[in-house]
Amino acid sequence: MTAVQGTAVDIPTEDGIADAYLVHPADERPRPAVLFYQDAYGLRPHLQAMADRIAAAGYTVLLPNVFYRNGRNPVIDLPEFIDPAADPTIWERIGPIMQSLTPELAVRDAGAYLRWLADSPLVADGLVALTGYCMGARLVLLTAGSYPDRVAAAAGFHGGRLATDSPDSPHLVAHNITGEVYFGHADQDASMPEEQIKRLEDTLTAAGVRHRTEVYPGAHHGYTQVDTPQYDREADERHWAALLDLLARTF
């Protein structure tokens, strides 16, 4: 593990400027890139600490504010410990913002993030990896399936609604993926029931995508997020082992 340096950056997109957090090893040598997709609660100290941990393993990590159309981070004010059961207005405020980020917009933004990484002197030549959490796992799937020539590996953790009956369900682009994929599902996650897990697994298998899908027993949606009641230390450490192993095999 190495010392890291983090900074705020702005990324031009077709629809404006996405603010983001960029972190990389402090020696400033070009490193393989990891595009890190947030959960619904947005950029905050916990997610930045997660990005720092990935960077310390030898990567340049970009964590964009995917809600930039609704304002710079923080898009909404949140307490240090986020508990929607204690404050139901949290989801009342976040819900419409999440819904406004359509698959079409998400894919368009992904292109901007990938172009920015390709142009950065802190990023080594070659393909990138993706990781994402909760809604970020959907963005991972959409990005990997829409830009297969740019993505070497993709990981999603406690993602919801990844393989629905909707005509714009993320799993419908999975057949395009050429990199390796890992998904760590929570078995107590109502947003990703068993039938969706099977549909995603079957889609990846039929397409010949190199992948591994695991279901973490007893884990809830959000198990990696230490600043929420859903945090599960055992599941979180399992996630870190899977993610860092995937990155090490890829680069």
Side-chain angles (χ1 to χ4, degrees), residues 6 16 29 34 43 59 82 84 103 130 140 148 153 193 196 198 211 235:
R29 289 168 45 204
V34 178
L43 276 60
Y59 306 97
I82 306 167
L130 314 172
V140 161
Q196 287 195 44
K198 183 178 186 303
H211 71 281

Side-chain angles (χ1 to χ4, degrees), residues 33 60 83 126 217 227-228 232 239:
T60 293
D83 184 1
D227 55 358
T228 74
D232 183 314
H239 132 263

Side-chain angles (χ1 to χ4, degrees), residues 109-167:
D109 289 344
Y113 305 147
L114 293 170
R115 287 191 297 272
W116 191 92
L117 285 169
D119 291 339
S120 172
L122 296 169
V123 173
D125 292 340
L127 307 185
V128 309
L130 314 172
T131 189
Y133 302 85
C134 301
M135 64 162 279
R138 295 203 304 275
L139 302 180
V140 161
L141 193 49
L142 287 167
T143 301
S146 300
Y147 299 94
D149 59 334
R150 293 288 296 120
V151 177
F157 300 93
H158 47 80
R161 299 183 59 78
L162 299 181
T164 70
D165 295 324
S166 171

Side-chain angles (χ1 to χ4, degrees), residues 40-41 67 70 76 88-101 135 138:
Y41 297 139
F67 295 148
N70 298 91
I76 67 169
T89 70
I90 290 175
W91 275 109
E92 292 173 6
R93 288 177 283 153
I94 291 176
I97 296 173
M98 285 182 60
Q99 292 170 11
S100 71
L101 184 61
M135 64 162 279
R138 295 203 304 275

Side-chain angles (χ1 to χ4, degrees), residues 43-50 52 227:
L43 276 60
R44 57 197 192 279
H46 167 58
L47 286 195
Q48 292 178 343
M50 293 178 71
D52 290 351
D227 55 358

